Amino acid sequence: MSTGSRSASALRLGVNIDHVATIRNARGGLAPDPLRAALIAAEAGADGITAHLREDRRHISDHDIARLSRELDLPLNLEMAATAEMLDIALRHRPHAACIVPERREERTTEGGLDAAGQQAHLAPIVAALGDAGIRVSLFIEPAPHQIEAAVALGAPVVELHTGTYCDAMGEARLVELERLRAAAQLGARHGLEIHAGHGLAYDTVGPIAAMPEIRELNIGHFLVGEAIFVGLHASIQRMRALMDEARPDGPRERAAASGQS
Ligand SMILES: CC(=O)[C@@H](O)[C@H](O)COP(=O)(O)O
Ligand SMILES: NCC(=O)COP(=O)(O)O
């Protein structure tokens, strides 16, 4: 998603539209339309759209991916399991980016990161094939040093750090998770990786993550779609965008402080 108009150091927002499709699929019809959500996200300040085509197709469908690939101006980040079927779909549609995620049929959501360290032999040809097709590959991993090192060994240019444990934790435990994320972001950046983060982020958890200068993109979905029920999708995304910008080390608050205007 590195083709947006923001400055090189800016933090991009990828809006994940999976759960618009979850609501649509509850009744099996056409509404609400994930493509319409993506177009609203673009107007509201998203830099890209993320969609997870699960093997069980519980939310996003093959048809959604075809329409998003055809009709969206923003970069598309396709989240996919490391399977031959998903590789074939990615190579057919050639999204801007592909994020390889772990999947278990019985899970409620993506409960942990990809075991890049334990699955190097399986992942290597998939990472290579996506890269050769000009698709920017990221690996959705836990914020752990051995997973960062495995991503480097695999030649993936990007990692997305799973923020779910941080978001679920409370008090001191959340601070511990935050430090794990910070250390992983710093280690990855030292290795030359582009660092993304996401999963479970909400208004009350986004600030400390957005404040990490190494992190270049956040992917956020479930909370934004839920909040949209109360304030509308445009407003929910705009507020998230503003919170991200405010938290940034070079954000408006810090710039005002530096110039003595705070
Ligand atoms: C990989 C990931 O974190 C996202 O895809 C997000 O969690 C939405 O999809 P699920 O809720 O189906 O996991
Ligand atoms: N990769 C994380 C993502 O796309 C969004 O996760 P969530 O905000 O829906 O939990």
Side-chain angles (χ1 to χ4, degrees):
M1 214 173 289
S2 51
T3 54
S5 57
R6 290 180 206 286
S7 76
S9 64
L11 179 62
R12 298 187 298 272
L13 170 60
V15 171
N16 182 316
I17 54 170
D18 292 353
H19 297 297
V20 177
T22 302
I23 299 170
R24 175 195 62 195
N25 294 359
R27 287 291 171 94
L30 298 176
D33 179 5
L35 176 60
R36 183 172 170 205
L39 297 174
I40 292 171
E43 280 174 21
D47 301 288
I49 296 298
T50 290
H52 182 176
L53 183 66
R54 277 184 172 270
E55 289 184 272
D56 63 10
R57 309 302 197 267
R58 68 174 73 162
H59 38 57
I60 292 293
S61 68
D62 298 67
H63 185 55
D64 291 327
I65 295 299
R67 288 176 73 221
L68 290 164
S69 304
R70 225 176 22 240
E71 296 180 41
L72 195 64
D73 285 335
L74 288 183
L76 176 65
N77 173 35
L78 172 67
E79 290 185 332
M80 52 176 268
T83 65
E85 181 203 18
M86 289 298 151
L87 177 61
D88 188 53
I89 291 168
L91 294 179
R92 194 156 1 109
H93 293 295
R94 297 190 182 235
H96 168 74
C99 181
I100 304 181
V101 305
E103 256 184 51
R104 284 190 303 118
R105 283 278 162 97
E106 63 280 11
E107 69 188 354
R108 180 170 289 176
T109 182
T110 313
E111 285 161 2
L114 184 74
D115 184 11
Q119 296 177 20
Q120 293 220 24
H122 174 68
L123 293 170
I126 298 175
V127 171
L130 291 167
D132 288 349
I135 300 168
R136 197 153 169 82
V137 183
S138 81
L139 304 180
F140 188 57
I141 58 171
E142 290 296 316
H146 67 295
Q147 300 295 357
I148 296 276
E149 276 143 24
V152 174
L154 281 161
V158 182
V159 290
E160 179 168 326
L161 303 177
H162 194 309
T163 51
T165 308
Y166 156 74
C167 292
D168 290 342
M170 308 288 277
E172 190 64 31
R174 183 178 279 179
L175 295 179
V176 170
E177 287 306 318
L178 192 61
E179 291 317 309
R180 281 182 79 215
L181 286 158
R182 192 188 315 283
Q186 289 173 349
L187 177 64
R190 279 201 300 278
H191 278 295
L193 295 173
E194 183 173 310
I195 313 295
H196 300 178
H199 199 90
L201 290 171
Y203 294 153
D204 65 336
T205 47
V206 76
I209 304 294
M212 294 181 194
E214 297 81 11
I215 295 188
R216 307 297 304 280
E217 178 175 307
L218 298 182
N219 287 300
I220 309 180
H222 182 267
F223 174 83
L224 292 174
V225 173
E227 191 65 8
I229 294 168
F230 306 108
V231 302
L233 187 59
H234 191 282
S236 75
I237 294 170
Q238 254 191 342
R239 174 142 176 71
M240 187 63 82
R241 174 81 260 171
L243 289 170
M244 287 166 55
D245 290 343
E246 274 172 29
R248 213 57 189 153
D250 57 353
R253 194 176 291 162
E254 284 68 19
R255 279 200 299 277
S259 64
Q261 293 167 6
S262 55

